[in-house]
Amino acid sequence: FRGTDFEFQRVLLPDPTSHCRASRIAPEDRCSEDLETRQGGPNGACDNEVNSLQKVVASSLRDLNLDIPKADRSPGFDAIKNIKVTHLAMNIMLREWVDGDRTGFAAR
């Protein structure tokens, strides 16, 4: 589309914050007939969170878990598999760590 009347335009939005996420419209309001309700307020106008974080669980942990009879398995593997940490939450945790004890022991 480059060089035509239909060329894409880059839109840069502010980085997401907890306040912005809390100020976004509810999913059911996205189809509202009222334009202001559908668009939401300026406090909820920010970019989406980056979902680039993936947790790494060793395949040996999975294999060890599957080798144990189901009745004797620990729920730990399923708990680890279901942990979801957003990029925004990770930034908040790292910021609190940096602002806290700088000896290196705060992360433990």
Side-chain angles (χ1 to χ4, degrees):
F1 299 106
R2 187 174 290 170
T4 70
D5 290 340
F6 307 103
E7 188 170 354
F8 290 110
Q9 178 68 40
R10 177 176 278 196
V11 176
L12 298 175
L13 298 171
D15 290 334
T17 62
S18 300
H19 176 70
C20 178
R21 280 186 47 208
S23 300
R24 287 193 171 168
I25 62 169
E28 58 271 10
D29 290 338
R30 293 181 185 155
C31 296
S32 172
E33 291 184 24
D34 181 49
L35 180 62
E36 287 186 28
T37 302
R38 193 169 57 237
Q39 289 178 339
N43 290 336
C46 60
D47 206 352
N48 289 320
E49 289 184 51
V50 177
N51 293 315
S52 60
L53 298 176
Q54 295 180 344
K55 56 188 176 301
V56 178
V57 178
S59 60
S60 59
L61 182 60
R62 181 196 65 227
D63 295 342
L64 284 170
N65 189 53
L66 294 176
D67 287 343
I68 299 171
K70 193 168 188 170
D72 295 333
R73 286 183 196 162
S74 166
F77 180 73
D78 290 328
I80 290 172
K81 272 191 343 185
N82 291 321
I83 291 175
K84 305 255 187 289
V85 180
T86 66
H87 188 73
L88 180 60
M90 183 64 71
N91 281 342
I92 291 169
M93 286 188 277
L94 290 173
R95 175 59 41 213
E96 289 177 359
W97 176 48
V98 168
D99 291 342
D101 182 14
R102 295 179 188 259
T103 63
F105 294 108
R108 296 185 184 150

